[in-house]
Amino acid sequence: MSQVKRFLIIAGAAPCVLEDLEKISSRERFDFMLIGAGSPAAETIPVLKCHVSHENDFPAIRELRKLRGLNTDYLAISNNVYEGVDCVYPEFTPPTCARECRPRLGSRDPRNHHHYSGSSAMLGLKVALRLGYRKIVLAGVPIDEGRYAAFQVGWCWIADLLRCCPVRSMSGFTRELLGPYTEDWLNE
């Protein structure tokens, strides 16, 4: 992997991702990380630095980017071993996984520990911190609607630690929790 920039944008899959990205000026100052699959950003980010996911969506994203004429020479990172993954961080696996829960608890059940993972966005943030980025911006990671709202518990669980991290968000719950991205914050 070539030299990392000081700043990183983590692009999520929420419908607001492209709108969030448009609000960030001079995006060439940033490296880009894509989390998970299904994000419209996968087709629009000109140069992707890494793709992080806990699912095996790596071949689909590479193929999509290849078809669009976008770079495919980025790092593939996961907390699971999958073919084509460059870096595996098993220590980033949340306390338990919903697939392993017996009995299987519903997505809104407060006993479902899977939500402590904070979703793919939290995995991406852990990776970004490990890679040494000085400032990290979440785009398309509001986690305030549908099944993603349940993942707020994971973010709240470590809220005190997150306040010490160099991360801000463009929208939703994560923006309220972490604070908004501003140029002043970026340049502190």
Side-chain angles (χ1 to χ4, degrees):
M1 185 164 119
S2 61
Q3 183 67 30
V4 298
K5 296 181 180 178
R6 298 178 339 167
F7 309 136
L8 176 74
I9 295 173
I10 298 176
C16 65
V17 66
L18 297 179
E19 181 182 323
D20 284 357
L21 289 172
E22 285 299 316
K23 294 176 186 173
I24 301 171
S25 62
S26 304
R27 288 185 298 278
E28 67 278 355
R29 301 174 292 172
F30 295 85
D31 281 339
F32 285 88
M33 172 190 290
L34 182 70
I35 53 171
S39 175
E43 300 181 53
T44 62
I45 296 170
V47 180
L48 190 59
K49 194 64 151 187
C50 54
H51 171 207
V52 175
S53 184
H54 58 87
E55 297 180 11
N56 192 12
D57 50 14
F58 299 99
I61 295 295
R62 267 195 215 281
E63 185 61 27
L64 174 69
R65 290 187 60 81
K66 182 179 177 183
L67 288 171
R68 299 288 187 262
L70 301 169
N71 80 306
T72 59
D73 60 341
Y74 51 83
L75 278 177
I77 303 172
S78 183
N79 59 331
N80 297 303
V81 177
Y82 296 119
E83 186 176 335
V85 170
D86 303 302
C87 300
V88 178
Y89 297 117
E91 66 272 23
F92 291 166
T93 301
T96 62
C97 179
R99 291 181 215 110
E100 299 165 356
C101 293
R102 299 289 183 256
R104 181 108 184 215
L105 304 169
S107 65
R108 301 229 183 257
D109 191 313
R111 297 171 296 160
N112 186 342
H113 298 287
H114 177 65
H115 300 304
Y116 283 92
S117 74
S119 78
S120 299
M122 181 68 75
L123 176 60
L125 177 57
K126 291 175 184 177
V127 169
L129 291 168
R130 173 73 58 95
L131 294 175
Y133 283 96
R134 211 169 74 88
K135 299 285 176 116
I136 303 160
V137 180
L138 302 176
V141 186
I143 64 169
D144 56 4
E145 294 182 12
R147 68 182 182 95
Y148 285 97
F151 287 103
Q152 292 175 9
V153 69
W155 292 81
C156 290
W157 189 43
I158 61 167
D160 290 342
L161 292 172
L162 289 171
R163 288 186 185 96
C164 299
C165 293
V167 61
R168 296 291 185 268
S169 180
M170 298 301 296
S171 56
F173 169 81
T174 53
R175 178 183 165 128
E176 292 171 25
L177 181 70
L178 303 169
Y181 157 81
T182 64
E183 284 293 314
D184 287 342
W185 167 79
L186 190 71
N187 296 314
E188 293 180 334

